[in-house]
Amino acid sequence: MLEILQTKLKEKPSRKEREVVIVYPFNTKTKEIFIIQEYIHGYDRKFWKFVSGGVDKVDKDIQTHAVEELAEEVAMESNVVYHLYSSERIFGNRPMHYFIAENPIVMENPPENPDEDYITNAKWVNQTEFQNMLDNKEMLWDQASMCALQAFRKYQ
């Protein structure tokens, strides 16, 4: 038994999980955050979620990935995109990087979105509406939601 355990202790993970960026488009005047409802093929259902994507380009930094994901996923751009929080997950999950994009505008010529999943709905919500969605289990209560609440708090 000990020999088997020692063999497993020496093994490295077979593949590294990609890091993820999550972007909160935030209207600083109305104090609203933009969320999307996306059909996720792997789950065969719709989820309300935030603009997000995997970090898949080795030559680009995390913030550049956030800016590109905002453009690809919801055709928005912002002059002010900044880092809110990062978590390095060790047990089972991927590192997550959270960004706020202040007062984004819709792009005239957005890049094509390479994702297979597609957006079925989108809306701006204030903190009360967001909290109601959490309470009604329309949004998942997870680290991304906690960071969104922190974004709301930042602009109170």
Side-chain angles (χ1 to χ4, degrees):
M1 179 70 172
L2 185 57
E3 290 174 2
I4 293 171
L5 181 59
Q6 287 175 337
T7 302
K8 291 199 176 290
L9 291 175
K10 293 178 187 175
E11 292 177 10
K12 292 183 179 178
S14 59
R15 65 184 178 93
K16 185 180 180 207
E17 291 291 333
R18 290 188 309 170
E19 296 176 72
V20 174
V21 294
I22 294 181
V23 184
Y24 304 113
F26 199 93
N27 184 318
T28 60
K29 294 177 184 142
T30 63
K31 312 285 192 265
E32 293 175 315
I33 202 165
F34 189 75
I35 58 173
I36 59 176
Q37 186 181 60
E38 194 171 58
Y39 174 80
I40 310 290
H41 288 281
Y43 293 96
D44 192 28
R45 64 178 276 214
K46 299 174 190 176
F47 291 92
W48 280 105
K49 61 185 274 301
F50 305 101
V51 173
S52 62
V55 174
D56 53 3
K57 297 171 189 96
V58 188
D59 59 333
K60 296 185 179 177
D61 64 28
I62 300 295
Q63 184 156 342
T64 301
H65 276 89
V67 169
E68 288 180 357
E69 203 57 47
L70 183 67
E72 289 174 1
E73 198 157 306
V74 293
M76 289 182 178
E77 61 186 344
S78 171
N79 290 329
V80 180
V81 177
Y82 64 90
H83 180 256
L84 177 66
Y85 178 74
S86 284
S87 67
E88 185 164 334
R89 298 288 191 91
I90 297 172
F91 300 108
N93 291 319
R94 315 180 234 194
M96 308 288 280
H97 306 279
Y98 302 90
F99 290 85
I100 293 176
E102 288 185 352
N103 306 314
I105 59 170
V106 176
M107 301 172 76
E108 288 185 29
N109 297 307
E112 188 174 320
N113 187 353
D115 295 343
E116 293 179 14
D117 302 321
Y118 56 90
I119 295 171
T120 59
N121 201 351
K123 62 183 175 179
W124 289 95
V125 295
N126 63 30
Q127 186 171 359
T128 301
E129 293 164 330
F130 181 73
Q131 186 64 55
N132 287 338
M133 291 180 78
L134 287 171
D135 293 343
N136 295 328
K137 297 180 176 43
E138 295 174 70
M139 291 279 305
L140 295 176
W141 182 251
D142 59 8
Q143 186 173 28
S145 295
M146 289 187 284
C147 285
L149 289 171
Q150 188 64 27
F152 280 117
R153 189 173 174 196
K154 182 175 180 50
Y155 295 99
Q156 285 180 340

